[in-house]
Amino acid sequence: MFQALPILLVAVGVARATLNGACTIGSTPGTCISTSTCSSGGGTYASGYCPNDPADVKCCYKTSCGSGGNCRWTSQCTTGNTASELPAGLCPGPTDFNCCLPASSCIPKAVNSATITLIKQYEGFVASPAPDPVGLPTVGYGHLCQTTNCGEVPYSFPLTTTTATQLLNSDLKTYTKCISDYVKDTIKLNENQYGALVSWAFNEGCGAAQTSTLISRLNAGESPNTVASEELPKWVYAGGEVLQGLVNRRNAEIALFKTASGVISQPPC
């Protein structure tokens, strides 16, 4: 169906856009980004809809994301139920071009204070955008910049620990959503098990979590504590090398995962 779109749209005109700005292919919203970024994010691009930008910047769209969602600009998501995935996005492009999901009354649980403390400890606080240990620009408590100078962050720099915490809580909604989506509702996880997985996904990305042996083993009904003990230690590499910081973080996540609690966070409803 979409192969015919470019021919159809030439007849109705081309909407001009800027880099990371909005573009439209028929009734399908998109964003003007590089073709490589579009492809790596699972999108499809079409030529001729971002004429003010360099040749490798094209209108990128993605019509399916998450559980029954579509990639839309936040302002266009009429359900108000959006999910983004950082650093590997459900939708390619800027953070306000994300996955618009069907309306749902079942909201993933927020993580507990023990999880927040763990994440803050291992992410560290960065008041203004700066490269992390592998060279990626971050700010606050592990927020990966999506635009130049982290322009998508709604707080002024340098951040305070208060605004950085607010940013972290906002970012974590993405990862509570993906863990809640990826782990079957038949699998019960307490608040510490759930929080440890959210910390891991925040560090490694929802895409990695979704395809991981860890999630598949949990969904197969194996003992959660056994799975965490055997699978989390595998996630200690960056750039092909073992990082001691990741070793330490995985050990802390395992310790949190194994901390008993009577509070169930997964499934959320």
Side-chain angles (χ1 to χ4, degrees), residues 28-228:
T28 303
T31 178
C32 292
I33 56 177
S34 69
T35 55
S36 59
T37 300
C38 180
S39 297
S40 65
T44 302
Y45 55 83
S47 300
Y49 303 99
C50 304
N52 295 332
D53 291 323
D56 69 333
V57 173
K58 302 185 186 300
C59 188
C60 178
Y61 59 93
K62 187 176 179 183
T63 56
S64 178
C65 59
S67 301
N70 295 284
C71 291
R72 296 285 185 270
W73 292 93
T74 300
S75 61
Q76 298 172 329
C77 184
T78 57
T79 66
N81 187 15
T82 61
S84 59
E85 180 185 338
L86 304 173
L90 287 174
C91 297
T95 54
D96 55 343
F97 184 69
N98 53 34
C99 192
C100 179
L101 299 166
S104 173
S105 59
C106 189
I107 309 266
K109 298 286 182 67
V111 296
N112 61 8
S113 60
T115 302
I116 294 292
T117 298
L118 187 156
I119 292 172
K120 285 184 174 181
Q121 177 183 349
Y122 287 98
E123 293 293 346
F125 172 64
V126 179
S128 298
D132 70 1
V134 294
L136 298 175
T138 60
V139 73
Y141 295 108
H143 175 85
L144 184 69
C145 299
Q146 298 299 296
T147 57
T148 302
N149 297 321
C150 271
E152 76 279 1
V153 174
Y155 309 107
S156 60
F157 300 126
L159 297 179
T160 65
T161 55
T162 297
T163 55
T165 298
Q166 291 171 341
L167 179 61
L168 174 61
N169 287 331
S170 176
D171 286 347
L172 285 177
K173 291 178 181 178
T174 294
Y175 302 94
T176 56
K177 179 73 170 72
C178 70
I179 291 300
S180 183
D181 281 350
Y182 302 157
V183 177
K184 292 180 179 178
D185 286 350
T186 54
I187 308 302
K188 285 184 170 35
L189 299 175
N190 69 39
E191 59 180 343
N192 294 321
Q193 293 171 323
Y194 172 76
L197 293 184
V198 172
S199 171
W200 163 65
F202 182 72
N203 182 225
E204 298 291 344
C206 285
Q210 183 178 24
T211 58
S212 68
T213 305
L214 190 159
I215 295 295
S216 64
R217 289 181 64 184
L218 283 178
N219 287 338
E222 294 189 44
S223 165
N225 284 350
T226 299
V227 171

